[in-house]
Short mmCIF file of all heavy atoms in Angstrom, two decimals:
data_model
loop_
_atom_site.label_atom_id
_atom_site.label_comp_id
_atom_site.label_asym_id
_atom_site.label_seq_id
_atom_site.Cartn_x
_atom_site.Cartn_y
_atom_site.Cartn_z
N ARG A 91 4.03 7.24 -10.18
CA ARG A 91 3.67 7.93 -8.99
C ARG A 91 2.82 6.94 -8.17
O ARG A 91 2.89 6.88 -6.98
CB ARG A 91 2.92 9.23 -9.29
CG ARG A 91 2.60 10.00 -8.05
CD ARG A 91 1.93 11.36 -8.48
NE ARG A 91 1.75 12.24 -7.33
CZ ARG A 91 2.63 13.07 -6.95
NH1 ARG A 91 3.74 13.22 -7.61
NH2 ARG A 91 2.41 13.89 -5.89
N GLN A 92 1.94 6.26 -8.80
CA GLN A 92 1.03 5.34 -8.15
C GLN A 92 1.79 4.21 -7.48
O GLN A 92 1.59 3.84 -6.35
CB GLN A 92 -0.03 4.81 -9.08
CG GLN A 92 -1.01 5.92 -9.59
CD GLN A 92 -1.69 5.48 -10.93
OE1 GLN A 92 -1.47 4.49 -11.44
NE2 GLN A 92 -2.38 6.48 -11.44
N HIS A 95 3.53 5.71 -4.43
CA HIS A 95 2.53 5.83 -3.31
C HIS A 95 2.30 4.50 -2.66
O HIS A 95 2.29 4.33 -1.44
CB HIS A 95 1.23 6.38 -3.85
CG HIS A 95 1.21 7.93 -3.84
ND1 HIS A 95 1.45 8.72 -2.85
CD2 HIS A 95 0.89 8.78 -4.95
CE1 HIS A 95 1.26 9.99 -3.20
NE2 HIS A 95 0.97 9.99 -4.47
N TRP A 96 2.04 3.44 -3.47
CA TRP A 96 1.67 2.14 -3.01
C TRP A 96 2.81 1.59 -2.06
O TRP A 96 2.63 1.04 -0.93
CB TRP A 96 1.35 1.18 -4.13
CG TRP A 96 0.86 -0.15 -3.71
CD1 TRP A 96 -0.42 -0.50 -3.44
CD2 TRP A 96 1.64 -1.39 -3.61
NE1 TRP A 96 -0.54 -1.80 -3.04
CE2 TRP A 96 0.82 -2.48 -3.18
CE3 TRP A 96 2.93 -1.73 -3.82
CZ2 TRP A 96 1.20 -3.65 -3.04
CZ3 TRP A 96 3.41 -2.98 -3.63
CH2 TRP A 96 2.46 -4.07 -3.26
N LEU A 112 -2.05 5.16 5.15
CA LEU A 112 -3.42 5.44 4.49
C LEU A 112 -3.34 6.49 3.47
O LEU A 112 -3.95 6.45 2.44
CB LEU A 112 -4.47 5.72 5.62
CG LEU A 112 -5.02 4.49 6.33
CD1 LEU A 112 -6.00 5.02 7.38
CD2 LEU A 112 -5.67 3.41 5.46
N GLY A 113 -2.64 7.65 3.84
CA GLY A 113 -2.54 8.75 2.97
C GLY A 113 -1.79 8.37 1.68
O GLY A 113 -2.22 8.78 0.57
N GLN A 114 -0.80 7.58 1.76
CA GLN A 114 -0.08 7.14 0.55
C GLN A 114 -1.00 6.26 -0.33
O GLN A 114 -1.00 6.33 -1.55
CB GLN A 114 1.21 6.43 0.90
CG GLN A 114 2.20 7.38 1.59
CD GLN A 114 2.70 8.51 0.69
OE1 GLN A 114 2.77 8.43 -0.55
NE2 GLN A 114 2.74 9.69 1.23
N TRP A 115 -1.66 5.33 0.34
CA TRP A 115 -2.56 4.40 -0.41
C TRP A 115 -3.67 5.19 -1.10
O TRP A 115 -4.12 4.98 -2.22
CB TRP A 115 -3.01 3.30 0.41
CG TRP A 115 -2.02 2.28 0.78
CD1 TRP A 115 -0.95 1.98 0.04
CD2 TRP A 115 -1.80 1.62 1.95
NE1 TRP A 115 -0.12 1.00 0.64
CE2 TRP A 115 -0.65 0.82 1.89
CE3 TRP A 115 -2.56 1.58 3.18
CZ2 TRP A 115 -0.23 0.01 2.84
CZ3 TRP A 115 -2.05 0.76 4.26
CH2 TRP A 115 -1.00 -0.05 4.04
N TYR A 116 -4.18 6.22 -0.37
CA TYR A 116 -5.25 7.11 -1.01
C TYR A 116 -4.60 7.75 -2.30
O TYR A 116 -5.21 7.88 -3.30
CB TYR A 116 -5.74 8.13 -0.02
CG TYR A 116 -6.86 9.05 -0.56
CD1 TYR A 116 -8.17 8.47 -0.67
CD2 TYR A 116 -6.52 10.27 -0.98
CE1 TYR A 116 -9.12 9.25 -1.18
CE2 TYR A 116 -7.54 11.02 -1.53
CZ TYR A 116 -8.81 10.55 -1.57
OH TYR A 116 -9.80 11.37 -2.21
N GLY A 117 -3.36 8.18 -2.15
CA GLY A 117 -2.67 8.83 -3.27
C GLY A 117 -2.55 7.84 -4.50
O GLY A 117 -2.56 8.27 -5.62
N ALA A 118 -2.45 6.61 -4.12
CA ALA A 118 -2.27 5.64 -5.26
C ALA A 118 -3.52 5.43 -6.03
O ALA A 118 -3.46 5.00 -7.14
CB ALA A 118 -1.84 4.24 -4.66
N VAL A 119 -4.69 5.72 -5.47
CA VAL A 119 -5.97 5.57 -6.17
C VAL A 119 -6.74 6.86 -6.42
O VAL A 119 -7.67 6.82 -7.21
CB VAL A 119 -6.92 4.58 -5.39
CG1 VAL A 119 -6.25 3.18 -5.30
CG2 VAL A 119 -7.21 5.11 -4.00
N ASP A 120 -6.24 7.98 -5.93
CA ASP A 120 -6.99 9.26 -6.06
C ASP A 120 -7.07 9.67 -7.49
O ASP A 120 -6.04 9.66 -8.27
CB ASP A 120 -6.22 10.30 -5.24
CG ASP A 120 -6.98 11.61 -5.23
OD1 ASP A 120 -8.17 11.61 -5.26
OD2 ASP A 120 -6.30 12.69 -5.18
N GLY A 121 -8.24 9.89 -7.96
CA GLY A 121 -8.42 10.42 -9.31
C GLY A 121 -8.49 9.33 -10.34
O GLY A 121 -8.62 9.63 -11.51
N ARG A 122 -8.32 8.07 -9.97
CA ARG A 122 -8.38 6.96 -10.91
C ARG A 122 -9.77 6.45 -11.05
O ARG A 122 -10.55 6.41 -10.07
CB ARG A 122 -7.38 5.90 -10.48
CG ARG A 122 -5.96 6.39 -10.46
CD ARG A 122 -5.02 5.41 -9.88
NE ARG A 122 -4.95 4.18 -10.69
CZ ARG A 122 -4.34 3.03 -10.30
NH1 ARG A 122 -3.75 2.98 -9.12
NH2 ARG A 122 -4.31 2.03 -11.17
#
Side-chain angles (χ1 to χ4, degrees):
R91 187 179 188 88
Q92 294 156 5
H95 277 304
W96 186 82
L112 283 176
Q114 293 301 319
W115 290 325
Y116 183 79
V119 297
D120 186 32
R122 297 172 66 190

